[in-house]
Amino acid sequence: LTSLYHELKLPESAQGLLKLAQKNENVNEESNWYIKLHDWQKGLEIINKKLDVSENSKELLNQKIVCLDGLGNWEELLEMTEEKVSTTILAKASLNLSDWDNFNKYCSLIIDSEKSEEDEDILYEKNFFKAIMHIKDRKYSDAEHFIDLAKKKNDTKILSLLSESYARGYELLLKNEFLYQLEEIIEYQKGNITKDYLVHFWNKRLSYMNKDPIYFERALAVRSLVLTMNEDYQGYVELARICRKNNQIERSVNILKRVKGKLKIERESK
């Protein structure tokens, strides 16, 4: 029921249900309650306490990965072994850190793993990452192939979700926008459009984007294929502000630390 309330954008109802359960002394507090509410920090706190007792629990480790993903704690995810974390999540973490060596490493591990029975969101992510890998290698035909595959996974769902509600379809529209950005990067690398053109339209789109940390960070990650931190640090400062506004204080601080570190590296390399 909490998942349904959250999906329907009724967080107060979901929190009310949770508080009601907490008042019942016979009900043990569970981490998956908070995961369903996207309260990643509280969920992680409960999981870490349980892992002190059952450190090899696969269920708890999977829940921890979900929470770290939700919190944007990419460094800690990359510290976990490949046996515990899927290569798709590790590729995502590497992308958000602009860690291109690790990104290529994990993408090469998922390159041939597409399965039709997999979740559509996972297939989208895999094709999205593969497209970026090929753009980095300037293999444009391969990149366009994976962009098309990712679009097909989205297009089949967009119309049906938009007919239910705009909010539910908006996520897929954003995913398609990221794919269009990849196509624009290909055109830029081919010399058909300028960086100034890209920056102008990307900034305009970013200003209209729903201020959700997950999608805002994905937009910045795509931009990092073209823009250095010195050129795009204001976007990350805005991301930190959005996280703070969403009560994700630790995530906000981590983002600012990354910005400071990358700016220092870029300026020292000049």
Side-chain angles (χ1 to χ4, degrees):
L1 191 55
T2 54
S3 297
L4 179 60
Y5 280 139
H6 184 82
E7 190 173 332
L8 293 173
K9 310 296 182 185
L10 297 170
E12 294 85 1
S13 299
Q15 289 287 353
L17 188 64
L18 179 59
K19 288 179 180 179
L20 185 64
Q22 288 171 329
K23 289 180 179 179
N24 188 333
E25 294 180 357
N26 296 319
V27 177
N28 294 321
E29 197 171 37
E30 297 293 339
S31 54
N32 62 350
W33 295 353
Y34 296 97
I35 290 173
K36 290 174 181 178
L37 290 172
H38 291 192
D39 188 345
W40 312 118
Q41 190 60 51
K42 182 63 177 177
L44 186 62
E45 290 171 6
I46 296 172
I47 291 163
N48 283 335
K49 287 179 183 178
K50 290 183 177 181
L51 282 172
D52 289 339
V53 179
S54 306
E55 61 179 352
N56 294 318
S57 168
K58 189 172 181 180
E59 180 182 1
L60 288 173
L61 286 171
N62 286 336
Q63 288 182 354
K64 181 173 183 175
I65 290 164
V66 170
C67 289
L68 291 174
D69 185 3
L71 287 168
N73 196 333
W74 313 121
E75 291 89 350
E76 188 169 347
L77 273 171
L78 288 177
E79 288 173 1
M80 298 177 74
T81 63
E82 292 169 27
E83 291 78 22
K84 294 178 181 178
V85 188
S86 75
T87 50
T88 307
I89 292 291
L90 292 171
K92 178 182 180 180
S94 303
L95 173 64
N96 284 321
L97 293 173
S98 299
D99 182 347
W100 300 117
D101 289 338
N102 268 324
F103 180 76
N104 287 334
K105 170 187 172 183
Y106 295 123
C107 275
S108 67
L109 294 175
I110 64 173
I111 198 72
D112 296 317
S113 62
E114 181 178 330
K115 298 178 182 178
S116 58
E117 65 269 19
E118 283 184 308
D119 180 89
E120 288 184 354
D121 291 333
I122 294 174
L123 285 177
Y124 170 89
E125 290 284 275
K126 289 186 174 184
N127 290 319
F128 180 76
F129 296 145
K130 293 172 192 176
I132 291 176
M133 182 181 72
H134 288 303
I135 288 172
K136 291 286 291 181
D137 292 337
R138 296 184 181 268
K139 296 179 180 177
Y140 302 128
S141 295
D142 291 331
E144 288 164 351
H145 167 70
F146 288 112
I147 288 170
D148 287 341
L149 284 179
K151 280 183 181 178
K152 287 176 182 177
K153 292 299 175 186
N154 258 5
D155 290 345
T156 56
K157 294 174 64 177
I158 286 177
L159 290 176
S160 61
L161 285 179
L162 282 175
S163 65
E164 296 177 19
S165 75
Y166 179 78
R168 298 192 68 188
Y170 181 71
E171 176 184 343
L172 296 181
L173 291 174
L174 276 182
K175 286 184 174 182
N176 264 8
E177 184 174 306
F178 299 143
L179 296 174
Y180 295 137
Q181 283 183 264
L182 294 186
E183 291 175 328
E184 289 171 331
I185 292 170
I186 292 173
E187 291 303 304
Y188 163 71
Q189 289 186 351
K190 288 180 176 180
N192 296 330
I193 54 179
T194 65
K195 182 185 283 190
D196 287 343
Y197 172 91
L198 280 182
V199 172
H200 172 73
F201 283 101
W202 285 357
N203 286 344
K204 195 170 184 179
R205 291 174 197 158
L206 205 60
S207 69
Y208 292 125
M209 182 181 291
N210 189 334
K211 300 303 186 286
D212 183 306
I214 293 174
Y215 298 113
F216 205 90
E217 186 167 31
R218 173 58 62 91
L220 295 176
V222 173
R223 290 158 65 107
S224 71
L225 274 74
V226 174
L227 304 176
T228 64
M229 179 60 74
N230 193 51
E231 293 171 315
D232 208 23
Y233 72 91
Q234 290 181 334
Y236 287 92
V237 171
E238 175 65 11
L239 173 61
R241 188 192 69 79
I242 292 169
C243 290
R244 188 179 71 251
K245 191 174 181 180
N246 281 271
N247 203 32
Q248 297 181 11
I249 308 302
E250 186 176 350
R251 184 175 190 174
S252 178
V253 171
N254 286 338
I255 290 166
L256 293 175
K257 286 180 179 178
R258 288 177 204 144
V259 171
K260 183 179 179 180
K262 288 181 181 179
L263 283 175
K264 182 179 179 182
I265 292 170
E266 287 181 5
R267 288 166 183 173
E268 287 177 350
S269 64
K270 288 184 178 179

